[in-house]
């Protein structure tokens, strides 16, 4: 199975909103409500920010939100802050005890 | 505080073996499934393997099936990854992570451990 498809880059100015897409197939993103999003700063470990499409772990601000339509999931970051500049990865359960990640999106805060 | 600390990486020969360890603390280790995720230099994340809390059920990505073995020692709160028949494409930073919901999301990660496969 191939990795999920994310745009390689995205950008926005402080205070603005930006949305990152994650496209899969009916066998992964479209077939399960098990999409997660992770933020990774350079040289650091990933951090879970969204799971099960829309849920936020404790401590993650509500500036981060997730959604899904068909085979495409999306992460929206509202009220962009300098600390949001990072790589963002989506993942989805893909059946048969398998998990796929997206290729990652580098978010630049202008 | 939840902590995960990987060790055991380094340089491995093509066709050789390495064993990674992940020492954990701050949570009831035996009640959580655990997983390994890797990241090749400059590349994205790739799920490698996962194991149930009891250790009875291991799962593998096709890219490592038959070569890697995941295991755990619940008496020592430690996760392992035995990597055999190493290939150049196994070169990556390997992260251990705690599974929040099985194969759906991972809520605590180690700092990562670099494995380089080269002659």
């Amino acid at each position: 199975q191939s990795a999920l498809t994310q745009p390689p880059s995205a950008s926005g100015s402080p205070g603005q909103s930006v949305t990152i897409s994650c496209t899969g197939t009916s066998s992964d993103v479209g077939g399960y409500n098990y999409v997660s999003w992770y933020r990774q700063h350079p040289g650091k470990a990933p951090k879970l920010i969204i799971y099960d499409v829309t849920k936020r772990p404790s401590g993650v601000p509500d500036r981060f939100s997730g959604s899904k339509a068909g085979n495409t999931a999306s992460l929206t970051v509202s009220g962009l802050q300098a600390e949001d500049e990072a790589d963002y990865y989506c993942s989805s359960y893909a059946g048969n005890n398998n998990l796929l990640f997206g290729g990652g999106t580098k978010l630049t805060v202008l | 505080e939840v902590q995960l600390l990987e060790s055991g990486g380094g340089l491995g020969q093509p066709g050789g073996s390495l064993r990674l360890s992940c020492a954990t603390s701050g949570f009831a280790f035996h009640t959580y499934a655990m997983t390994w995720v890797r990241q090749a230099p400059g590349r994205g994340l790739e799920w490698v393997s996962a194991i149930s809390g009891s250790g009875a059920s291991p799962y593998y990505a096709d890219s490592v099936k038959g070569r890697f073995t995941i295991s755990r020692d619940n008496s020592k709160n430690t996760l392992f990854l035995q990597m055999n028949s190493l290939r150049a494409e196994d070169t990556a930073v390997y992260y251990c992570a705690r599974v929040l919901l099985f194969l759906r999301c991972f809520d605590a990660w180690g700092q990562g451990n670099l494995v380089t496969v080269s002659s």
Side-chain angles (χ1 to χ4, degrees), chain A residues 34 36 38 40 45 52 89 97, chain B residues 39 59 95 104-106 110:
Chain A
Y34 296 155
S36 295
Y38 299 86
Q40 185 181 35
D52 288 357
Y89 292 92
N97 296 306
Chain B
Q39 186 170 33
Y59 304 92
Y95 295 98
R104 286 153 63 178
C105 54
F106 312 139

Side-chain angles (χ1 to χ4, degrees), chain B residues 33-114:
Chain B
M34 297 293 294
T35 192
W36 290 96
V37 175
R38 68 185 180 183
Q39 186 170 33
R43 305 294 296 275
L45 301 172
E46 179 189 14
W47 175 72
V48 172
S49 182
I51 190 168
S52 60
S54 68
S57 302
Y59 304 92
Y60 302 95
D62 287 344
S63 58
V64 306
K65 200 171 295 183
R67 300 188 300 121
F68 289 11
T69 301
I70 191 171
S71 63
R72 62 192 295 160
D73 184 340
N74 285 347
S75 70
K76 297 182 178 178
N77 298 331
T78 302
L79 176 72
F80 303 100
L81 186 68
Q82 178 67 43
M83 303 184 293
N84 298 332
S85 302
L86 286 167
R87 304 168 179 169
E89 54 265 36
D90 295 322
T91 294
V93 172
Y94 285 73
Y95 295 98
C96 64
R98 186 176 75 172
V99 178
L100 176 62
L101 296 165
F102 193 69
L103 279 190
R104 286 153 63 178
C105 54
F106 312 139
D107 69 336
W109 295 65
Q111 86 289 349
N113 197 306
L114 178 62

Side-chain angles (χ1 to χ4, degrees), chain B residues 10-18 86 115-119:
Chain B
L11 180 64
Q13 300 280 331
S17 299
L18 283 173
L86 286 167
V115 170
T116 302
V117 182
S118 175
S119 55

Side-chain angles (χ1 to χ4, degrees), chain A residues 25-49:
Chain A
T25 70
S26 58
S27 296
D28 38 68
V29 174
Y32 307 92
N33 288 323
Y34 296 155
V35 175
S36 295
W37 290 90
Y38 299 86
R39 180 170 77 173
Q40 185 181 35
H41 288 113
K44 300 295 186 181
K47 176 186 175 182
L48 179 67
I49 54 174

